[in-house]
Structure formats: C-alpha cells, structure tokens
Amino acid sequence: MNERILRVLDFQKIIERLSQHAATSLGKDLAAKLKPSTDIEVVKQLQEETDEAAQVIRLNTPIPLGGISDIRQSIQRSVIGGVLSTSECLAVADTIYGGRQAKEFVENLDEELPLLQDVVAGITPLRPLELQIKSCIDDHGQVMDSASEKLRGVRSSIRTHESRIREKLESYTRSKSNMLSDAIITIRNERYVLPVKQEYRGAIGGIVHDQSASGQTLFMEPKAVVDLNNQLQELYAKEKQEIDRILRELTERIAEEEGFLTENVRLLAQIDFMFARANLARAMKASRPTINNQGIIKMQQARHPLISMDQVVANDIEIGKTYTSIVITGPNTGGKTVTLKMVGLCTLMAQSGLQIPALDGCEMAVFEEVYADIGDEQSIEQNLSTFSSHMTNIVDILQHVDDKSLVLFDELGAGTDPQEGAALAMSILDEVVSRNARVIATTHYPELKAYGYNRENVINASMEFDVQTLQPTYRLLIGVPGRSNAFEISKRLGLDHTIIERAKSHIGIDSKNVENMIASLEESKRQAEKEYEEAHQILLESEQTRKQLEEEWNQFDQKREELYKKAEEKAEKALRNAREEAEMIIDEIRKMKTDATLKEHEWIEAKKMLEDAQPKLSTKKKAKQQATTSEELSPGDEIKLLTVNQNGSVIEKVNDNEYMVQVGIMKVKVKRNDLQLIGKPKKTYEKPLATVKGSSYHVPVELDLRGERYEDALLKLEKYVDDATLANYPKVFIIHGKGTGALRKGVQDFVKNHPSIASARPGAAGEGGSGVTVLEFR
C-alpha cells in the first residue's frame, strides 16, 4: 500500500488510537509501524491473533503486562562490554518478571488459544537472573548492603565514620554556637562542614570549602574532622569500586542471556500488540471479518471508525458477488464521501489484522492495492486546477489497476463541463469495470443514474434525503439512484408555485420519467424494508415460541418419564415384597407333613397365579419396540390402537396382517402395525378346596381380626374355629395385631377351654410374631 492512500483514508488516525491501547512502549512501537498486508495468509493469522486476545478480554481478566519495558538497548550495551546502571539492571529484572507473569496467565486460561499459547511458550522465565538482580538492587534502584560481604563491611565503616564526624561537629554547635551562622551540620564537596561567621574564621580554624552569597558565612571543615573526612572519602571510593564490580558482574550475566532476553522482548511486544488490537476492537464495538481473496466485501451496519458512535449512521454495503461496481448519486452533504472512506478504511484495517466496526458475519477482501481519488487535491505550486488534479490521480490509477484492486472515485468527472464530465466519467468507469476491479464511485451527474441499468456488474445507489426535514439521513440505498430534490426543497422553502411549475416545463420528458422511476423505486424499497423488518420480527418471535414450546415439552416428557419410572419402581418393590412373603408362606405350609398337604401341581398353579398377577410394566422405549413387533395376536387380547390412542380388544384375525378389533362401541379392521399388545387375558384359577365328607368349604388358613370390636371378633373366631375343624386343618393363624393386647388376651382365653384345640402359641419371627396366635387342632 502506498503512503498516499494511507493518508487520504486517515489510516494514521487509526494507528494513533491503536497506540493508545498498547500497555508498553514495545507494543506502541509495533502499532506505529503497522501497515496493511497483501498476503491473505498473513492477514488471516493477524485476525486470528486479534480474535484470541479479544476472547481473553471478554473474560474480564486483563493480561498482566506491568513492569515490561524496552530493554533492547541495554542488552546490546551489555554485549559490547558496557556496564549497565542500577536502573537498567532493574528494568531487565522487571521485564523478566513481567514476561513470566504473562506466560503463567495465558497457560492458566481454560480457553483454547493456540496462537497465544504458542507465543508464550517461547518466553524463557530466566528466574535465576531475575533473583540475582533483585538480591543486589532494591526497588528504588539502590545497590543493597546484602549485594556482597565487602560492600556490607565498607558501608558499616562509612556509617561509623559519619557518626564520629557528626559527634565532633555537634560539640562545636553546642560549645561555639555564637560563632556559627546556624547551629547545623551540612555538606560541601561531599565533606561535612559548619556554617561559620566570617569574623570567627580564625577561631574555628580549618579548611574553607564554600561561602554564602553575601560572604558573611563560610562553610568550614574544622581541623578536628579533616582526617576523619579524608578516611570517609576513601571509604566512599571503596564503596563505589565495589558497586561498580557488582554492576559489572550483573551486566556480564545479562550479556550471557542476551539471546533469551531479546526473544522475550520480541514475544512480549507481540503479545502487547495483539491485546492492543483487541482493546481497540472492543472500544469500537468491532467484529472479526471473514477474509477472502475473491474481492467480496459484505458489511452489515458498518460504521465509519473515526466518527463517534452516537453520531455515525450505520449502513449495509455489499460488493463483489452479484456486482463489482457501485455508483452512488445524490446531492452534497449526503454522506457519499463518508461512505466511500468508510469502505476504504475498513479494508485497510481488515488487512492490518484489525477488526472492523460492523455486525458479526462480515466479509472483507484482501486487495493488492487500494486506490482513491477523494477530495480537492489541486496544487497552487504546480498550477493545477481541481479537474487537472483529479485527472492526474485517475491517470495514475488507470496505469496500475487490475482485478486485485479496490478503486474509490469521489465526484468522478467533476470540475469541468457537466456534459463532457459525465461522458468522461462513464468512459473511465467502463475501463475500470472491464478490468474486473472493485469500484465505488460517487457523482453528481444525472446521466450516470441510468448507468447501472445499462451495464453488467454495476449497480446504482444513493444517499437518502428527507424532503420533510430538508436533511440527509446518511442512509445508503443500494439499487436506487439518487434523484434531484430541488423542486421539493424550493417548494418547502416558499418559492412561488408558478415559478416551480415553469421550471418543471423546462425539464425534458425523459428526465421526468427518470425522476418518477427513481421516486417509485425509493418508495418500493422503503416499503420492502418495512415489510422485511416486520416479517423478520414475526420470524424471531415464532422461533422463540417454538423453542419455548420444545423446551416445555421436553421438560414435561422428562417429568412424565421420571414419574413412570418411580411408579414402576414402587410397584416392582411392592410385588417383590408380596412375592417374598407368599413364598415364605408356601414354604411354611409345604413343611407341614399332614394329610392336608396339597399336591405339587396345585402349588405350581398357585405360583403361576401369583406370577400372572404381576402387571406388565413398560417404558416409552419398550412401548415403541412392542408397537413394531410382529407378535401373533389372539381373540381377547388387550390392545391399543395407535392411530387414535385408544384401548380395546381383539375380536378375530382377518388375515396375516389385519385384525378385527373392538374399540369402545366401534368394531374396526386395522393393520397389525397399528396395534400395540397391552396384555393377554388372565386365566382364572379356583382356590384350593378343603374337602370334608364330600363337602367343600372355602376356608382360609388365617383369620384377620384387626380393626374388629371385641365382641364381634370373638363371634367371628368361634365360627372360624368350627369351619377350620370341619376342614380338618392341622393348624391355623389368628391375626389380632399387637395394639393394647386386649384382643390377643381374648383369643387366648377363648381357646383355653375349646375341645378341638390342642394348643395355642404366639407366631414365630416369620409368622408375624406376637401379633399372631397359632392354633393347633387335636
């Protein structure tokens, strides 16, 4: 991209905003050097980096980049033998720390960020070097006593000498304060001195190091402290030598890690640059574009990046698929130039790895060159007119334009005779369109309104104008050419009606037809947009309702299945308990070795009755599987007719695939696939009979008296014992429950004197315990 196009489209202002979002001087330096790329793979890589950084920002966890600075010059000085200052060494340590923090931050993120993770993988922590520097230099850039044993000792001696000097000088301030201008101890030429009055110079004695502006005060070093000050200066020199040695040692260590440090700085600059681009996208409410090399631009609700969001008007624009050129017509101040610059600037931003201010789903193309002829660039020095200036640019563009170019023409053909300018504009457009370049041009010429209808790959557009308010709306209308609003504006401003009608009579029939066609198109487009919005809103509401119904149905279906499952589990548990209890009773009776023992086939039939009593439990899944089975049905089988979801029974089989069934009061013939077997008719079994002398008594082996009144219970007991005696039972079970014990005592009192009862005992653990009394007959 040439520098002129970057200047014309204000790309430098985008760079300035980008630099403001960089956290370090390293990131600001990369931002300042940013240029659009023409390599589609490089552009995709940059967009992917920006998107990954944007994902991190969306987590509201800013990456820590504090303390990082540009230490490249310091690294180079260490390599060529220079000795770094304490602040330079500290900057190296802080940058190492900042790099380590950034590396750990990215590695601890849960998101999949392959590019960002690949960058931080190259950062070398260099923890030992950081600790070595921090153990020698404090946060204020001062070499600490702990840097070496020698430095500790020298500084201890310095403090001792300073203390001795102050003690001696303080004796002067106490005893000879009248000879001093002020009773203080100060320093001149790195030596401790006293402010002595001029007239007492001889009385104090010593070396004069300075005097006041008036000459009345001399800063003197008394003879008593000269030797101590000399010794102190020697210690200062030793301290400096030791500090220089420590810094030289640290510099050598830094030089040893030159390769890792330089690479760390490069990677940290790249990270900061990535997050600067992402922060700019967030500030602009921008989105990531899909990049292509087919010359396709498609943006919805795109905004000019440099216009405040509360003032800019968003527009939809598309070029490169069904048409390659757009001709925008309409009056001045309607927003044509802003739209032109917006497309060009968004293209440069996309090719620089920056996201663009438009809705998600936008597409941007990578162009080899972006050409623009925008604004009045006439040169007084070159004695060029407006038209000549435009033609100079256009000639240069036509020499280089091809199918990988984006060309932006503002007011094409302006600055000369309207008829010649319009003809020239159409000819230039024909040439550029023939080269398959992507072209957006603005013009005033009415002759170009019909241009899009007569050329392939060209479409008309205009900037909407509100005649009621006499203000442009800045909305781009694709497919509708701009029309003159001079008559309507003049009428609203109060121009006489007869003058307007006379002016209209001077307009040719063709011009009137064109204006009427444009007006009709504008109205149709507005109506279509309104209906589209209404239909889109209805679609969104319908989709929301459908999703809500699906969600509620799924919840209902899930709840129903859960209830089915719980009911089946409860029923199965009850059946299991009943079966176990029945098995215990049967086993207990079978153990009785008496004449009343039932035959084995009777036990089998009783067990079969128990099994048949179990209901057929099924889930939804089982029902579906059963509905498709080809199991043979028999008359009397209980079925469900799936087509009407009603239960019924089989009357007869018609053929291999059809049955006559009874559903309610209707008899219908249906196919087998529409029938679901619910169950077979249950067989009836007679209870075992107790036979006595040819008579049959239906006498159970147990009597349940629970809930009976005391007198009624004894009457039932008396009758039952007589029946059991006739049935020739060896023993029976009287269930009276535990309760207060009154009913149990009444049973026991009754059986004591009964002639047929041999004994009575409480039930065993498996027979009901103390809630049952077992009677054994004679």
Side-chain angles (χ1 to χ4, degrees):
M1 297 293 174
N2 60 74
E3 290 297 327
R4 178 184 167 279
I5 195 66
L6 300 181
R7 184 184 70 256
V8 169
L9 295 176
D10 296 321
F11 184 71
Q12 189 56 39
K13 293 182 180 179
I14 296 294
I15 296 301
E16 292 171 3
R17 292 194 179 185
L18 177 62
S19 297
Q20 294 172 2
H21 290 283
T24 69
S25 60
L26 297 167
K28 293 181 187 297
D29 186 48
L30 285 182
K33 297 176 182 177
L34 181 63
K35 292 289 187 296
S37 173
T38 58
D39 187 331
I40 187 170
E41 296 304 324
V42 172
V43 173
K44 287 181 177 180
Q45 171 91 358
L46 290 171
Q47 288 289 350
E48 185 67 30
E49 290 176 356
T50 306
D51 188 61
E52 286 194 4
Q55 289 184 52
V56 177
I57 292 174
R58 282 194 289 270
L59 299 174
N60 293 320
T61 50
I63 186 170
L65 295 172
I68 297 171
S69 58
D70 190 354
I71 58 172
R72 288 173 291 189
Q73 289 187 356
S74 299
I75 296 171
Q76 290 305 313
R77 285 212 307 118
S78 72
V79 172
I80 62 176
V83 178
L84 302 183
S85 65
T86 55
S87 59
E88 288 177 307
C89 291
L90 191 62
V92 171
D94 288 341
T95 300
I96 293 173
Y97 173 79
R100 185 161 50 82
Q101 290 293 103
K103 181 182 179 75
E104 292 175 358
F105 172 83
V106 174
E107 289 177 344
N108 291 331
L109 290 173
D110 294 332
E111 300 288 316
E112 286 293 329
L113 306 166
L115 295 179
L116 190 57
Q117 289 165 352
D118 186 56
V119 173
V120 300
I123 296 176
T124 306
L126 298 175
R127 180 71 167 159
L129 176 57
E130 177 195 345
L131 292 176
Q132 184 177 354
I133 295 174
K134 287 297 184 74
S135 66
C136 296
I137 304 173
D138 63 20
D139 293 338
H140 303 289
Q142 301 297 319
V143 178
M144 297 184 290
D145 294 355
S146 59
S148 72
E149 288 297 326
K150 183 177 180 179
L151 182 61
R152 188 194 304 274
V154 170
R155 285 185 172 171
S156 177
S157 298
I158 288 173
R159 287 189 287 271
T160 301
H161 278 71
E162 288 177 340
S163 178
R164 290 172 61 188
I165 291 171
R166 283 184 173 278
E167 287 178 1
K168 287 185 176 296
L169 292 179
E170 285 173 356
S171 67
Y172 279 88
T173 61
R174 289 193 298 270
S175 61
K176 300 181 179 182
S177 60
N178 62 319
M179 300 180 184
L180 304 177
S181 299
D182 198 354
I184 61 171
I185 300 169
T186 186
I187 296 175
R188 290 293 185 276
N189 299 326
E190 298 184 353
R191 300 177 76 89
Y192 287 92
V193 297
L194 293 172
V196 181
K197 296 177 180 178
Q198 172 68 30
E199 59 269 25
Y200 294 110
R201 173 178 181 176
I204 296 295
I207 302 171
V208 177
H209 288 279
D210 197 4
Q211 67 178 7
S212 65
S214 63
Q216 297 300 312
T217 300
L218 302 177
F219 294 95
M220 297 184 62
E221 179 184 2
K223 293 180 181 179
V225 297
V226 169
D227 288 341
L228 287 174
N229 262 332
N230 289 339
Q231 293 172 11
L232 183 62
Q233 293 303 313
E234 292 177 2
L235 290 171
Y236 283 154
K238 289 181 180 179
E239 179 190 33
K240 184 177 183 306
Q241 289 175 357
E242 182 60 15
I243 289 175
D244 288 345
R245 186 195 67 79
I246 293 170
L247 292 177
R248 186 177 298 106
E249 182 179 321
L250 291 177
T251 301
E252 290 172 354
R253 282 283 294 113
I254 290 171
E256 291 175 4
E257 305 291 356
E258 179 263 340
F260 292 122
L261 286 170
T262 302
E263 180 65 7
N264 283 3
V265 170
R266 186 187 70 81
L267 295 175
L268 289 171
Q270 184 178 349
I271 291 172
D272 188 22
F273 186 36
M274 290 168 62
F275 278 88
R277 303 199 304 265
N279 279 309
L280 177 64
R282 187 178 192 181
M284 289 184 173
K285 298 188 184 302
S287 62
R288 175 187 178 183
T290 302
I291 303 300
N292 66 79
N293 57 2
Q294 288 86 42
I296 298 172
I297 296 176
K298 182 180 180 181
M299 294 185 287
Q300 288 187 325
Q301 297 299 292
R303 310 180 304 276
H304 193 291
L306 299 177
I307 300 178
S308 174
M309 282 188 289
D310 58 353
Q311 296 178 351
V312 70
V313 175
N315 276 304
D316 298 345
I317 189 163
E318 182 175 354
I319 187 172
K321 287 186 178 179
T322 56
Y323 47 87
T324 60
S325 303
I326 301 175
V327 178
I328 306 175
T329 54
N332 281 333
T333 69
K336 298 193 303 296
T337 304
V338 171
T339 302
L340 210 63
K341 283 190 171 184
M342 181 266 289
V343 175
L345 189 52
C346 286
T347 298
L348 297 182
M349 290 174 62
Q351 291 186 217
S352 302
L354 302 176
Q355 296 186 354
I356 61 173
L359 297 183
D360 289 336
C362 52
E363 293 185 56
M364 298 300 293
V366 174
F367 296 101
E368 293 289 339
E369 288 290 346
V370 176
Y371 300 104
D373 178 54
I374 299 176
D376 186 1
E377 298 183 40
Q378 61 178 324
S379 171
I380 296 176
E381 294 178 357
Q382 296 177 1
N383 194 25
L384 294 176
S385 66
T386 300
F387 179 75
S388 299
S389 176
H390 282 299
M391 279 301 107
T392 301
N393 293 333
I394 292 171
V395 168
D396 182 63
I397 291 172
L398 293 177
Q399 289 175 350
H400 302 94
V401 69
D402 58 17
D403 61 341
K404 294 181 175 60
S405 303
L406 173 65
V407 185
L408 306 173
F409 289 126
D410 189 28
E411 301 300 342
L412 184 59
T416 186
D417 177 78
Q419 190 172 0
E420 292 181 356
L424 193 56
M426 286 189 283
S427 180
I428 292 170
L429 284 175
D430 283 340
E431 178 62 24
V432 179
V433 171
S434 68
R435 299 189 193 182
N436 202 30
R438 302 300 181 263
V439 185
I440 303 178
T442 68
T443 180
H444 276 115
Y445 295 132
E447 289 84 354
L448 269 69
K449 294 177 182 179
Y451 181 82
Y453 295 104
N454 300 327
R455 303 293 194 279
E456 292 184 0
N457 298 323
V458 181
I459 191 169
N460 280 315
S462 61
M463 304 305 297
E464 188 179 53
F465 188 89
D466 190 341
V467 180
Q468 300 299 320
T469 62
L470 303 182
Q471 294 292 329
T473 65
Y474 304 106
R475 289 184 63 242
L476 179 67
L477 304 176
I478 298 289
V480 180
R483 66 188 180 99
S484 174
N485 297 292
F487 294 149
E488 287 83 353
I489 294 173
S490 300
K491 181 179 179 181
R492 288 189 61 80
L493 292 176
L495 187 63
D496 189 85
H497 177 71
T498 58
I499 298 175
I500 295 175
E501 291 301 318
R502 191 181 308 128
K504 288 182 178 179
S505 67
H506 297 311
I507 300 296
I509 298 300
D510 291 341
S511 298
K512 290 181 180 178
N513 290 338
V514 169
E515 290 299 318
N516 291 335
M517 177 191 70
I518 293 173
S520 176
L521 284 171
E522 287 182 347
E523 180 61 30
S524 298
K525 184 173 181 65
R526 278 194 293 269
Q527 185 64 27
E529 287 179 349
K530 180 181 178 182
E531 292 176 354
Y532 171 80
E533 289 296 329
E534 292 175 353
H536 184 64
Q537 185 63 31
I538 293 172
L539 178 62
L540 292 177
E541 292 175 357
S542 300
E543 183 66 19
Q544 184 178 359
T545 303
R546 184 185 65 81
K547 289 181 179 179
Q548 184 178 354
L549 288 173
E550 284 184 353
E551 184 178 349
E552 291 177 356
W553 173 256
N554 290 334
Q555 291 176 354
F556 166 76
D557 201 38
Q558 183 179 0
K559 185 68 176 177
R560 184 177 61 179
E561 285 298 321
E562 290 175 358
L563 292 174
Y564 280 161
K565 186 176 181 181
K566 288 181 180 179
E568 290 179 0
E569 290 175 352
K570 186 175 181 180
E572 287 178 353
K573 183 177 179 181
L575 287 170
R576 186 165 55 251
N577 293 339
R579 190 183 300 110
E580 290 174 357
E581 186 175 352
E583 290 289 347
M584 289 175 57
I585 295 172
I586 292 172
D587 289 343
E588 191 68 29
I589 295 174
R590 183 176 283 146
K591 292 176 183 177
M592 300 176 184
K593 304 298 181 180
T594 65
D595 293 339
T597 302
L598 300 176
K599 296 180 181 179
E600 190 63 30
H601 74 276
E602 293 175 330
W603 293 117
I604 294 173
E605 288 182 353
K607 192 171 183 181
K608 183 69 168 59
M609 286 175 60
L610 183 63
E611 291 176 352
D612 287 344
Q614 180 177 347
K616 303 294 182 183
L617 301 175
S618 61
T619 63
K620 203 173 185 182
K621 184 176 178 182
K622 291 178 181 177
K624 289 180 180 178
Q625 292 173 344
Q626 195 171 14
T628 58
T629 185
S630 58
E631 182 180 353
E632 185 76 18
L633 297 179
S634 302
D637 288 349
E638 296 179 10
I639 52 87
K640 174 183 284 187
L641 183 55
L642 299 176
T643 54
V644 295
N645 196 29
Q646 294 291 328
N647 293 345
S649 60
V650 176
I651 298 175
E652 62 178 350
K653 180 177 180 182
V654 179
N655 53 48
D656 291 340
N657 193 38
E658 290 184 321
Y659 289 85
M660 182 67 71
V661 298
Q662 177 89 36
V663 178
I665 61 172
M666 296 186 300
K667 293 182 181 180
V668 290
K669 184 166 65 174
V670 294
K671 296 188 178 297
R672 176 63 184 90
N673 290 340
D674 294 331
L675 298 175
Q676 175 187 331
L677 177 62
I678 295 178
K680 297 283 186 179
K682 296 181 181 179
K683 296 179 181 179
T684 56
Y685 296 90
E686 293 292 333
K687 293 183 180 179
L689 301 177
T691 304
V692 180
K693 297 180 181 180
S695 300
S696 297
Y697 295 89
H698 296 284
V699 184
V701 295
E702 62 184 28
L703 174 64
D704 191 350
L705 298 177
R706 288 174 297 182
E708 298 285 345
R709 292 178 57 199
Y710 183 82
E711 293 80 3
D712 293 339
L714 291 183
L715 290 174
K716 285 187 176 181
L717 175 62
E718 182 177 2
K719 182 178 186 307
Y720 174 74
V721 169
D722 293 340
D723 291 340
T725 302
L726 293 174
N728 201 26
Y729 284 163
K731 66 179 177 181
V732 293
F733 299 86
I734 309 301
I735 304 172
H736 44 65
K738 298 178 181 178
T740 60
L743 192 56
R744 177 175 66 245
K745 186 175 184 306
V747 171
Q748 293 173 350
D749 291 342
F750 172 79
V751 302
K752 280 181 182 178
N753 301 318
H754 199 287
S756 301
I757 298 175
S759 66
R761 62 176 176 80
E767 296 172 334
S770 59
V772 174
T773 297
V774 181
L775 306 181
E776 295 183 354
F777 293 93
R778 299 182 184 279

